[in-house]
């Protein structure tokens, strides 16, 4: 299965992630929710590159840290709901990863989600986020506007133009990625 793009092995009592070497270049979505994977069980993933992986679901496992995912630069969605992530120290690896572009993160039902200013701090630490749990965030700030520009209330036409530019740019990137995928 060297061309596998989506792998869903949820609810299988897995305790570690390994042996996906032949899928490294093609895997785009990996769903591993409802297993028994802990931080040690993610060691292989933390040492492996998945350049096209954009969705990773490890909800309802036994994770206590995000360190295993900070090198996955193509990751757009990281689902870690219902794990054992307790403090902001467990999130620091995402904050310190300069090339990480996660747009959506789910950390609900982890102890950290009850922390004061959880969403605010997470949005500050990972500026690429546009969604935390089921809540969209960022508004115009997520479109590259400074705090001052947002505060001065741009005309609606300018807001729409910038949103369109961002959507067009993302569509171009996705098209280029699909073209590269088809050529290989």
């Amino acid at each position: 299965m060297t061309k596998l793009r989506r792998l869903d092995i949820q609810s299988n009592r897995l305790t570690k992630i390994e042996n996906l070497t032949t899928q490294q270049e093609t895997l785009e979505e990996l769903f591993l929710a409802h297993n028994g994977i802990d931080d040690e069980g993610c060691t292989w993933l933390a040492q492996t590159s998945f350049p096209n992986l954009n969705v990773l679901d490890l909800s309802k496992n036994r994770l206590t840290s995000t360190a295993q995912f900070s090198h996955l630069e193509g990751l757009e969605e990281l689902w870690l709901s219902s794990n054992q992530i307790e403090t902001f120290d467990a999130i620091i690896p995402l904050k310190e990863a300069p090339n990480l572009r996660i747009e959506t993160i789910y950390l609900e039902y982890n102890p950290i989600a009850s922390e004061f200013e959880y969403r605010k701090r997470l949005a500050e630490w990972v500026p690429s986020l546009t969604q935390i749990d089921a809540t969209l965030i960022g508004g115009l700030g997520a479109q590259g506007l400074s705090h001052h520009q947002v505060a001065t209330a741009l005309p609606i036409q300018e807001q729409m133009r910038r949103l369109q530019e961002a959507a067009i740019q993302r569509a171009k990137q996705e098209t280029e990625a699909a073209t590269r995928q088809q050529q290989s």
Side-chain angles (χ1 to χ4, degrees):
M1 296 188 290
T2 60
K3 295 189 182 220
L4 192 65
R5 293 176 47 205
R6 182 174 198 248
L7 181 59
D8 187 338
I9 43 180
Q10 299 181 78
S11 303
N12 280 286
R13 298 182 187 174
L14 299 175
T15 57
K16 60 184 172 180
I17 305 166
E18 61 184 357
N19 299 326
L20 295 174
T21 307
T22 57
Q23 290 81 26
Q24 272 182 254
E25 298 299 318
T26 59
L27 201 60
E28 296 173 8
E29 299 177 358
L30 181 56
F31 298 93
L32 297 163
H34 290 269
N35 282 294
I37 302 168
D38 60 13
D39 295 338
E40 188 176 320
C42 285
T43 302
W44 182 84
L45 178 66
Q47 299 169 348
T48 309
S49 171
F50 284 89
N52 295 310
L53 188 65
N54 56 50
V55 177
L56 178 59
D57 183 357
L58 278 159
S59 300
K60 296 187 178 181
N61 278 283
R62 298 180 182 152
L63 300 171
T64 63
S65 174
T66 61
Q68 307 86 336
F69 319 112
S70 60
H71 71 290
L72 299 173
E73 296 177 2
L75 204 57
E76 295 173 10
E77 296 185 26
L78 180 58
W79 295 51
L80 299 173
S81 299
S82 299
N83 276 283
Q84 299 166 7
I85 299 171
E86 296 184 8
T87 66
F88 283 103
D89 287 343
I91 308 291
I92 287 176
L94 298 182
K95 176 185 179 185
E96 295 177 346
N99 297 320
L100 199 61
R101 301 289 179 250
I102 294 176
E103 297 173 5
T104 300
I105 191 166
Y106 277 83
L107 288 168
E108 60 193 353
Y109 307 115
N110 279 282
I112 192 173
S114 62
E115 288 285 327
F116 182 70
E117 293 190 336
Y118 152 72
R119 292 177 195 282
K120 180 179 184 266
R121 197 162 177 188
L122 200 55
E124 289 172 356
W125 282 16
V126 186
S128 58
L129 286 176
T130 58
Q131 182 176 335
I132 298 174
D133 302 329
T135 305
L136 293 175
I137 62 165
L140 295 173
Q143 303 306 318
L145 300 176
S146 71
H147 176 70
H148 174 73
Q149 289 171 313
V150 172
T152 58
L154 294 171
I156 191 72
Q157 294 87 357
E158 180 64 13
Q159 293 174 25
M160 294 304 294
R161 185 187 67 75
R162 290 182 186 213
L163 289 171
Q164 285 177 326
E165 285 176 5
I168 290 169
Q169 183 64 27
R170 181 167 178 173
K172 284 180 182 177
Q173 291 171 344
E174 289 174 359
T175 301
E176 290 170 1
T179 302
R180 285 192 303 270
Q181 183 76 20
Q182 290 174 349
Q183 292 174 348
S184 48

